[in-house]
Amino acid sequence: MASSSNRSGWYADKQLVPDESTVTSLALYKSLISNPLTDITTKKTCYTKLVALLDSLPAVRAFNSQSAAISQNLYDLLLYRCTVHNQLAALYSQAGDVHNASHYYDRAARLYEALIKFVTKSGNNDYGSVHAVFESLEQTLKQWIGVEEAIGRKTKAAKLSARVEKLQAQMIK
């Protein structure tokens, strides 16, 4: 079991990850996901549990794009949350479950957009590269378009393509 003294990053922030069992669970899921011998079903389960765990953290639930300021640790945790949703969507897509893939791409896109809105509204780029988050959002939307086309939702795919074009225009500014 990891001790409080050897935590790093958002693990170290007691307001973000309040108890030792949560830290242990996060570490276990991340370990299983990164193990090349872990099968896709186990990885999906681990990502699903990570999503639930991250979404249940009080600091994460309290965040909204209107927040005045957040710690770097919380920003990193929120960005990781976006990434986990995106990776879970990719696993569902890889497994051929396009409906769940669509759901998680939608969720990832909304989370990336909230983070971008927060950083651009705050006018503070101390949180990291907004451009990198824009690129992650763009990639998520492009992957989501592929899933929507596979489902046969051409109208939804077209709307997502328009979002990508709008996003690219914003990135140029």
Side-chain angles (χ1 to χ4, degrees):
M1 188 181 284
S3 70
S4 300
S5 61
N6 68 7
R7 294 185 202 172
S8 63
W10 43 266
Y11 282 111
D13 195 331
K14 279 290 206 185
Q15 291 179 328
L16 300 181
V17 184
D19 60 47
E20 203 63 36
S21 65
T22 303
V23 171
T24 303
S25 297
L26 286 166
L28 173 64
Y29 299 141
K30 289 173 78 175
S31 171
L32 284 168
I33 288 166
S34 64
N35 185 336
L37 300 176
T38 303
D39 64 284
I40 192 167
T41 303
T42 304
K43 284 185 181 187
K44 284 191 306 188
T45 300
C46 289
Y47 274 119
T48 301
K49 290 183 180 289
L50 268 175
V51 163
L53 196 63
L54 292 170
D55 287 348
S56 73
L57 294 173
V60 171
R61 284 196 326 262
F63 171 78
N64 67 52
S65 60
Q66 305 302 316
S67 298
I70 60 174
S71 70
Q72 182 66 48
N73 285 343
L74 179 54
Y75 175 83
D76 293 342
L77 182 62
L78 293 167
L79 188 56
Y80 179 68
R81 178 182 178 217
C82 297
T83 303
V84 168
H85 278 81
N86 195 38
Q87 291 169 334
L88 183 56
L91 280 175
Y92 274 113
S93 183
Q94 181 184 348
D97 185 346
V98 290
H99 293 285
N100 273 322
S102 176
H103 168 76
Y104 284 105
Y105 279 131
D106 179 28
R107 187 84 173 111
R110 290 173 193 267
L111 293 171
Y112 280 128
E113 287 169 338
L115 210 50
I116 289 168
K117 184 177 179 183
F118 165 75
V119 172
T120 54
K121 182 178 175 144
S122 73
N124 183 352
N125 201 12
D126 290 346
Y127 299 108
S129 173
V130 176
H131 187 73
V133 180
F134 267 109
E135 288 176 351
S136 295
L137 173 58
E138 179 183 23
Q139 189 61 36
T140 296
L141 290 171
K142 287 179 178 179
Q143 292 167 330
W144 189 11
I145 290 167
V147 167
E148 292 301 329
E149 288 172 345
I151 295 172
R153 298 184 202 165
K154 304 294 183 203
T155 305
K156 178 81 170 200
K159 287 180 182 178
L160 291 171
S161 293
R163 274 173 76 181
V164 169
E165 289 173 15
K166 182 179 175 185
L167 180 64
Q168 288 170 336
Q170 285 178 301
M171 286 172 42
I172 293 171
K173 291 181 181 179

